Amino acid sequence: MTRPGATGRLARYGLGVSAGPAPVGLVGPDGLGLWDAAAQEPADPGAAEILVALSRSADPDLALRQLHRLAAAGRRAGAGGRERLLAALRDDAGLRRRLIAVLGASSALGDHLVANPGDWRAVESGPDELTPTADGALAGDLTAVPGLRRAYRRSLLRIAAADLTGGRRLEQTMAALSALADATLRAAYDVAVGELPTPAPPALAVVAMGKCGGNELNYVSDVDVIFVARSDADLTPATTVAARLIEICGQVAWQVDAALRPEGSRGPLVRTLASHAAYYRRWARTWEFQALLKARPAAGDLDLAGEWIEQLQPLVWTAAERPEAVEDVRAMRRRIIENVPPRELPREIKRGPGGLRDIEFAVQLLQLVHGRADESLREPGTLAALRALVAGGYVGRQDGEALVRGYRFLRSVEHRLQLQRLHRTHLVPQDPAALRWLAQSLGYSALPGREAVEAFRADWVAHAAEVRRLHAKLLYRPLLEAVARVPANQLRLSSTQARRRLELLGFAAPAGALKHIEALTGGVSRTAAIQRTLLPVLLAEFADAPEPDRGLLAYRQVSEKLGSTPWYLRLLRDEGPVALRLARLLGLSRYVTDLLTRDPEALRLLADDAELTPRPVAALTDGFIAAAARHLEGEPDPGAAIRAVRAQRRRELFRIACADALSTAGTLAPAAPIDVFAVGDALSAVTDATLAAALRVATVDAGAARAMPGLRFAVIGMGRLGGYEMSYPSDADVLFVYEPPPGVAEDAASGVAHAIAERLRTLLGMPAPDPPLGVDADLRPEGRQGPLVRSLAAYRAYYARWSRVWESQALLRARHVCGDADLGAEFLALADRVRYPAGGPGREQIVEIRRIKARVDAERLPRSADRAMHTKLGQGGLADVEWTVQLLQLRHGHRLPGLRTTRTLEALAAARAAGLVDRADAAALADGWTLASRVRNALTLVRGRPLDQLPRHGQELAGVVLLLDGPEAHLPSRTGGPRRWPRPGEAAVEGPGEFVDLYLRTARRCRAAIERVFYE
């Protein structure tokens, strides 16, 4: 017995924590003689070293109890067994460290040692003598089950000892366990063959699968195998041997699982080589090819096993080309999670979210897809395959390192859990004592303010979260599906083959395209490797565009500008659909390409659907003004301020154009695809913000605050800006209004106000890398002959005396854009009296509107224009609809509040609701306006410059059709629902032709409605 006070001293060695104040076996007549009860200290220096080793084990009390049991078993065995054990522990530091580590970590191996007291000598030698090959992994009598079982446990004991004391890293431990499994399979095979009544053994191969096949076996796991016979004549004896092998291994070590064979447990246990080949060619599902990634010869006829693997390898590396392959792998992973009991899911380190299966499935899917052309990826082991994926550029370095760390952590946890009782489990325990043991077995120790269990939990949560994130990132990468659709024989081509392939894809200059490809993929750099992965997919996307060569050239230009930035190729490879989105944009839109080459950093917006959502005007205005303000503080620099504003505008134009061009691309569409109305709103909001920030800069540049404090100034939006119907080529139609400070004459204030307006127009229109914004004030009173800026009183006087009907019509779209809000409200109150006059316009004014419209039709349409195909001034075009709706607003706006809106289709809907237009005519007008607006935007996106004329044929027409193609196009159809335009290859000639017919038909119906409504 220990005396009072001894417990505290023993606690320094971790003893007494779970065994009470007097640990069993420490002292007493039957004890180990390690503690001097009188002196309350270790009995001798050797005993002190043993106590220190106990303290460093996962469970010191367990280690002490098992050491005491082992010593007692040695005494019972006689011949000084107890004394030799204790002497060896005192003298051999390596033995002491290894044996006590096993005793504190595994009660099951402790039981084995107690039952076989001489087997502790198995850990006398160091880990260098532990070979990870099947030959020599077992020693002893291997001719019968009892001897084989003891030999297996001795080998397992040595592996565990090396593992627990750092003599072997995780990969080496897994390889050693796999080698031990191979040796056990071979020994069991020999026993089974030896029991056959005939001396000639059958030609039977045992193929290792799963973790054993990947050389990453854990301590307790089913060993997955497939049995292969040479011929039909071998089937009967081979089946006998296979069944007996399964029985022997179950008695010796672990269960042999042959469920990965064709047809699973319903199929025959053994098949011939030919039968296997026929099954995999015709019936095998994706998961069966996924399982074959880890196949390797293990026992029996190794040459036959190698032949079996060689026959099936070509099938493995084409499996990913099946249309359903990628989704099959994803669905299998989801089913595994669904089959975990909900109460166990948070503790599952293998099958649960963030577990080992997440890593394995991500790696295996990447292998199936990319390994078709890259043989370096054909590694059976998860870590080896992951390293190859990183080396080949398929997985980012940081992501790969995070997955390696997560895998090692989770497998180490799994090993410790299974080693304790040699019981198959993947659940982290809930019991506090068990958790403490697990943490300590993994090397965690208590620190001031933090327990070992807390440290373990923190690492577990962090690793699981990162694994889950990367699993989703890699397994659900859209690029995977796109790469899988490219046949393997097209992923790696010679120059001649590549040129022929480019010709078939529709490249007009395949030699030039080949030079671009060689420039991007040449060399052995990581950048070139990633480009080699991306380009087969991108080429297929460019081929869908009217001008594939231009798309490839633009991609090369962007790549050369961004190729040295560390994030560019990583973004294309890893971040969602960026690569496919970029290919569509570069192939179809010169407008987007021009914006991107001016601002390559904007490419990041394509990574996130939320970034493709146009921003509200308030947020835009705040951001634009803040960008300008940074250059207006201290020593103002108006030039730098306006450049910052215009750069912000360029970024927003890119955002809107990308969302517009991608919104008809199906799975590439943003979360909330935008239509032509949302595009108009977004472009108008960007223009509002640009004008607001430019007004701030112009006010500073003109020195207005010093020259005329208290001057009020406002910008009124007109035309398409006022109607929230801006298109990409639209200028900003505005009026400028000011109000002098109290007591200051208008003439004195007009110069300062004029300077502000002139500076605003100049700043936004001056040459720069960013797209200019034309500021058009021609809708002001007296047009270009009138003053650029007027006071509110001057506007009031002019409209009261001189206003003409076209000016009333122009004011229908007037709204306050920026500047003094009160002044803007006062101006709009004045405008209401002009645009919605009591009683409406007289007959002469209506005739005047119709006369002006006829003159516009005759004079403003370009001579070379095709009136039927002109989206703005043609028959049934935008101007036709807008003049018609505005006439209704002028005539009836004074009595129908619903018509008092600056938006064309809102006013049209109000007119229909009021009975001013019948349902059919309203629908024809709305269809005509919507289609013309969409086509006008699409023409600008495709051409890169303003264009109102829809061509009847050619590449620009094909580009418009492709941009308007898709489930979100909402083009008019006979049924009134959305319609889809054929892509190249579906109806290569009829698609654009059908679209032209639709446009003409829609415009004719619209024009007929206009004749009835406008000229009634």
Side-chain angles (χ1 to χ4, degrees), residues 910-971:
R912 184 181 67 80
L916 303 178
V917 184
D918 67 35
R919 188 182 190 89
D921 284 346
L925 292 170
D927 285 350
W929 189 93
T930 302
L931 181 54
S933 296
R934 293 212 68 203
V935 169
R936 190 168 188 242
N937 280 343
L939 282 167
T940 302
L941 289 174
V942 169
R943 193 166 183 253
R945 302 190 302 276
L947 181 66
D948 293 322
Q949 182 74 54
L950 177 64
R952 290 180 179 266
H953 51 76
Q955 293 176 334
E956 289 176 352
L957 173 62
V960 169
V961 172
L962 284 176
L963 273 177
L964 299 182
D965 177 19
E968 302 297 334
H970 295 291
L971 297 176

Side-chain angles (χ1 to χ4, degrees), residues 771-979:
L773 175 63
V775 180
D776 189 342
D778 290 352
L779 293 177
R780 65 187 184 270
E782 301 179 83
R784 295 181 182 178
Q785 285 72 43
L788 180 62
V789 186
R790 290 177 186 256
S791 68
L792 182 62
Y795 276 111
R796 186 178 294 111
Y798 177 87
Y799 286 131
R801 186 173 183 182
W802 305 106
S803 177
R804 301 177 62 182
V805 69
W806 71 265
E807 292 171 313
S808 298
Q809 182 183 354
L811 286 173
L812 288 169
R813 292 185 167 196
R815 66 177 177 85
H816 175 255
V817 168
C818 62
D820 191 280
D822 292 337
L823 179 58
E826 292 170 27
F827 179 88
L828 293 180
L830 167 63
D832 283 347
R833 295 194 292 273
V834 179
R835 57 187 172 181
Y836 310 125
R843 181 175 179 79
E844 290 183 2
Q845 291 176 307
I846 295 174
V847 171
E848 175 69 7
I849 290 172
R850 290 171 177 162
R851 186 188 65 77
I852 296 172
K853 174 68 167 66
R855 193 179 71 192
V856 169
D857 288 347
E859 297 177 1
R860 292 186 59 188
L861 189 72
R863 288 181 179 272
S864 60
D866 182 347
R867 184 176 295 275
M869 302 287 284
H870 201 278
T871 61
K872 183 176 181 181
L873 301 173
Q875 292 183 344
L878 296 172
D880 266 1
V881 178
E882 289 163 3
W883 280 70
T884 301
V885 172
Q886 289 162 17
L887 180 56
L888 292 171
Q889 290 179 283
L890 286 171
R891 295 177 65 181
H892 305 284
H894 64 285
R895 65 183 183 87
L896 295 174
L899 290 173
R900 299 172 197 169
T901 174
T902 63
R903 298 175 185 264
T904 300
L905 293 195
E906 281 188 7
L908 178 60
R912 184 181 67 80
L916 303 178
V917 184
D918 67 35
R919 188 182 190 89
D921 284 346
L925 292 170
D927 285 350
W929 189 93
T930 302
L931 181 54
S933 296
R934 293 212 68 203
V935 169
R936 190 168 188 242
N937 280 343
L939 282 167
T940 302
L941 289 174
V942 169
R943 193 166 183 253
R945 302 190 302 276
L947 181 66
D948 293 322
Q949 182 74 54
L950 177 64
R952 290 180 179 266
H953 51 76
Q955 293 176 334
E956 289 176 352
L957 173 62
V960 169
V961 172
L962 284 176
L963 273 177
L964 299 182
D965 177 19
E968 302 297 334
H970 295 291
L971 297 176
S973 68
R974 291 185 183 275
T975 61
R979 67 187 302 151

